[in-house]
Amino acid sequence: MTGLPPTAPAVQVSEEVARALAEGRPVVALESTIFTHGLPRPRNLAVALEAERQLRAAGVVPATIGVHGGVPTVGLSTEQITELSAVDGLDKVSLRDLPVVAALGRHGGTTVAATSFLAHRAGIRVFSTGGLGGVHYGASESFDESADLTTLAATPITVISAGVKSILDIRATLERFETYSIPVIGYRTRRFPGFYVTDSGHEVNFSVESPEQAARIIESRDRLELPQAVLVANPVDPAKQLPPEELDGILARAWAEAERRGVTGNASTPFLLDFIRRDTGGRSLEVNVEVYRGNVRLGGEIATALAAGAVAGAGSAGGDAVAGGDAVAGDDAVAGGGAAGRASAGGAASAVVAETGA
């Protein structure tokens, strides 16, 4: 594994994804941590490939994002996904790790932070994940906060998630979203979901009832040239959630075991999620997968609504107006890297990135 030669592009975008973006067709980018770190084998590969099939069946082009042999790639092939899903000791790549892993020619599964950066750089406008990272309990002393927060504060994409991971301090994370001016929009709910459960016990200020309403918010953000993400909180079906009355006890046992074993840092999340899976006899894994399916589905619908809106705008207002020339330039100037992708997509490109259990 040698990585990219000095003359090669820093980010490799597959021909299929590049063509779809250039033509303004809906694209859904799926991040790789779900199958490199989030799910056990062989379920990890099955879920990753199922998501791609699900999107294709809806007329959406999937673009799985990860690092293969030191090459940050938007649109991994089936062979590359299969290879990464089977590698032991794979690097978990956040934004800070991208240049290191690329330079050393290593494989890596990209987190929300790294995936959103690569997605936006490729011209992607929407990012769907299972559960976001956020503020960990005890962060007032440990300063343990996910890079997802700071990256999304400076990356104008749209994130679809079932809230933040249940192991986090949800109240503190919501406060961080407010501090970073990241709007949180409930999808058909004013209650903020808790990943494994439909309702975390916290409220959000706004909700939308359709993918088209969500798309209008995204377009409004882009016209205003704001630099931050929009979060769409999509709860799991209440009939498929973990019993809420069990969750507090499950989480307490998980944290106690992590403390006993001295598990800290970016090893905490996969350890805690695996403990919860074992503690619930696999029920949490089924919820995890259901969360992912729901967010992939909604992401595809929002990406399709964005693409349809751009096409309709082109018919009535002309290409320059549809592309949102000023807004697109502003987004790229702030985020530092999406110019080529946005220009090639004519401002109409849309995609979704999904992660679960990373």
Side-chain angles (χ1 to χ4, degrees):
M1 296 185 291
T2 58
L4 285 169
T7 57
V11 178
Q12 183 70 43
V13 180
S14 75
E15 182 179 347
E16 179 189 23
V17 171
R19 184 183 302 113
L21 291 172
E23 295 173 356
R25 290 185 283 127
V27 178
V28 173
L30 307 171
E31 61 80 40
S32 47
T33 309
I34 182 173
F35 60 85
T36 61
H37 293 80
L39 297 172
R41 297 173 190 155
R43 190 73 180 276
N44 60 338
L45 178 60
V47 169
L49 297 181
E50 176 194 330
E52 292 211 337
R53 290 193 299 270
Q54 177 184 348
L55 290 168
R56 291 189 189 281
V60 180
V61 175
T64 301
I65 294 179
V67 182
H68 185 270
V71 182
T73 302
V74 178
L76 291 167
S77 68
T78 299
E79 292 74 20
Q80 289 172 324
I81 293 171
T82 301
E83 181 181 357
L84 293 181
S85 72
V87 174
D88 290 321
L90 202 72
D91 290 315
K92 185 178 180 182
V93 182
S94 188
L95 189 57
R96 67 171 186 175
D97 308 307
L98 265 179
V100 180
V101 173
L104 297 178
R106 298 169 67 94
H107 289 325
T110 49
T111 66
V112 168
T115 301
S116 49
F117 169 80
L118 293 170
H120 178 64
R121 183 176 175 121
I124 293 170
R125 298 175 69 188
V126 183
F127 169 8
S128 177
T129 183
L132 291 175
V135 180
H136 285 258
Y137 285 104
S140 60
E141 296 180 1
S142 68
F143 298 96
D144 191 354
E145 296 186 15
S146 172
D148 295 356
L149 298 175
T150 51
T151 300
L152 295 177
T155 307
I157 57 178
T158 295
V159 179
I160 301 165
S161 76
V164 299
K165 297 181 180 71
S166 298
I167 58 176
L168 299 172
D169 187 332
I170 295 176
R171 180 177 179 277
T173 301
L174 287 170
E175 291 291 342
R176 272 293 191 232
F177 289 150
E178 181 179 356
T179 298
Y180 290 137
S181 298
I182 299 173
V184 180
I185 312 297
Y187 189 71
R188 299 175 178 171
T189 182
R190 291 283 300 276
R191 307 299 298 174
F192 189 69
F195 190 68
Y196 291 124
V197 294
T198 299
D199 183 357
S200 69
H202 300 275
E203 190 172 1
V204 297
N205 293 328
F206 302 100
S207 65
V208 294
E209 295 298 318
S210 69
E212 290 74 21
Q213 280 189 317
R216 287 198 291 273
I217 291 173
I218 298 165
E219 296 288 6
S220 178
R221 185 273 316 276
D222 290 348
R223 287 196 301 272
L224 290 167
E225 301 183 20
L226 292 172
Q228 68 270 31
V230 171
L231 305 187
V232 178
N234 182 37
V236 67
D237 185 333
K240 297 179 179 179
Q241 67 180 335
L242 280 182
E245 64 275 11
E246 295 182 21
L247 187 59
D248 286 345
I250 294 168
L251 294 176
R253 290 191 294 274
W255 277 112
E257 184 66 10
E259 183 175 357
R260 186 181 73 81
R261 297 195 184 190
V263 179
T264 60
N266 65 4
S268 296
T269 296
F271 174 85
L272 291 167
L273 294 178
D274 182 65
F275 179 93
I276 293 169
R277 177 181 63 83
R278 290 182 283 108
D279 192 71
T280 60
R283 287 180 298 154
S284 69
L285 175 60
E286 297 309 316
V287 177
N288 196 337
V289 172
E290 189 61 35
V291 162
Y292 181 57
R293 287 180 181 137
N295 290 336
V296 169
R297 179 172 55 252
L298 178 58
E301 292 169 353
I302 293 176
T304 299
L306 279 168
V311 170
S316 61
D320 290 340
V322 173
D326 292 340
V328 171
D331 285 349
D332 291 333
V334 174
R342 283 290 183 87
S344 67
S350 54
V352 181
V353 183
E355 178 205 5
T356 301

